């Protein structure tokens, strides 16, 4: 972490590999994300207004809104090339209202924010599985609309009884 001086300049030491920088104005109204290569010695970070996006979660099976769902959003920062593992950064968490509506705050122009829904929790109540439901890339300094995002139910393997019933209900005769 670094703070700029009166001239807007900062200095940091870093490892010589590709680096993603996030900068935000002191008042929290402007921000930017830039990536620099391993040989870059200087960088200019052009701050732009932060954006808000709105959408709604819909149950894919019933078509009904999904209230009370925890949404996580952020920019995927790969720890290597595009096929490498990643961490989700520069986003946040929100919860859908009674009509499945949600708001994503503090989005950086030009960055793709992945939107996921918590679909499973561990015994301590912490999120342990997420399902990606969409993404938004704000391109202008206006509020973005994500629209309706359908959420498929999480995979549930068939029970032993369901597998037996399926086998006995086949139209084919076993050979």
């Amino acid at each position: 972490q670094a703070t700029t001086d009166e001239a807007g300049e900062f200095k940091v030491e870093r490892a010589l590999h590709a680096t993603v920088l996030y900068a935000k104005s002191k008042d929290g109204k402007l921000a930017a994300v830039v990536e620099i290569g391993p040989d870059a010695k200087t960088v200019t970070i052009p701050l732009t207004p932060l954006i808000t996006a709105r959408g709604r979660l819909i149950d894919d099976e019933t078509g009904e809104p999904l209230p009370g769902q925890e949404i996580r959003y952020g920019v995927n920062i790969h720890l290597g090339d595009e096929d490498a593992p990643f961490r989700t950064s520069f986003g946040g968490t929100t919860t859908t209202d009674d009509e499945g509506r949600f708001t994503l705050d503090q989005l950086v122009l030009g960055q793709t924010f992945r939107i996921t829904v918590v679909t499973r929790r561990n015994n301590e109540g912490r999120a342990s599985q997420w399902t990606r439901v969409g993404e938004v890339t704000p391109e202008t300094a206006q509020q973005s609309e994500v629209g309706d995002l359908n959420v498929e139910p999480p995979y549930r393997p068939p029970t032993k009884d369901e597998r037996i019933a399926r086998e006995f209900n086949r139209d084919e005769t076993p050979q």
Side-chain angles (χ1 to χ4, degrees), residues 18 20 35 75-87 114:
V20 177
E35 183 173 351
V75 177
N76 287 356
I77 305 298
H78 289 270
L79 309 173
D81 64 22
E82 291 296 314
D83 294 325
F86 61 87
R87 65 189 293 173
R114 306 259 198 268

Side-chain angles (χ1 to χ4, degrees), residues 58-76:
I58 302 293
D59 184 310
D60 194 49
E61 289 183 332
T62 67
E64 296 293 318
L66 288 169
Q69 299 297 302
E70 182 180 333
I71 294 175
R72 295 186 180 184
Y73 60 98
V75 177
N76 287 356

Side-chain angles (χ1 to χ4, degrees), residues 1-52:
Q1 290 191 358
T3 302
T4 59
D5 62 19
E6 299 80 26
E9 296 180 353
F10 66 96
K11 290 183 183 183
V12 294
E13 285 189 36
R14 68 181 181 101
L16 295 179
H17 54 73
T19 302
V20 177
L21 300 168
Y22 175 80
K24 192 172 192 179
S25 64
K26 191 172 187 173
D27 66 5
K29 294 180 181 178
L30 306 171
V33 175
V34 296
E35 183 173 351
I36 59 173
D39 299 324
K41 294 184 193 256
T42 63
V43 61
T44 299
I45 305 173
L47 300 178
T48 60
L50 291 167
I51 306 304
T52 298

Side-chain angles (χ1 to χ4, degrees), residues 38-140:
D39 299 324
K41 294 184 193 256
T42 63
V43 61
T44 299
I45 305 173
L47 300 178
T48 60
L50 291 167
I51 306 304
T52 298
R54 299 188 195 292
R56 187 171 67 146
L57 283 186
I58 302 293
D59 184 310
D60 194 49
E61 289 183 332
T62 67
E64 296 293 318
L66 288 169
Q69 299 297 302
E70 182 180 333
I71 294 175
R72 295 186 180 184
Y73 60 98
V75 177
N76 287 356
I77 305 298
H78 289 270
L79 309 173
D81 64 22
E82 291 296 314
D83 294 325
F86 61 87
R87 65 189 293 173
T88 302
S89 303
F90 320 128
T93 302
T94 189
T95 303
T96 58
D97 68 11
D98 290 342
E99 298 188 18
R101 294 180 302 226
F102 61 87
T103 302
L104 310 178
D105 291 319
Q106 306 283 304
L107 306 181
V108 177
L109 280 175
Q111 296 297 312
T112 298
F113 285 79
R114 306 259 198 268
I115 304 166
T116 61
V117 175
V118 175
T119 53
R120 183 172 295 149
R121 295 185 179 278
N122 63 19
N123 292 338
E124 291 84 39
R126 290 191 301 247
S128 62
Q129 181 177 334
W130 299 261
T131 298
R132 183 175 164 198
V133 294
E135 62 183 39
V136 60
T137 307
E139 299 293 343
T140 66

Side-chain angles (χ1 to χ4, degrees), residues 140-158:
T140 66
Q142 312 303 321
Q143 177 178 319
S144 294
E145 288 298 322
V146 178
D148 288 350
L149 300 177
N150 290 336
V151 179
E152 295 179 14
Y155 173 73
R156 182 187 61 81

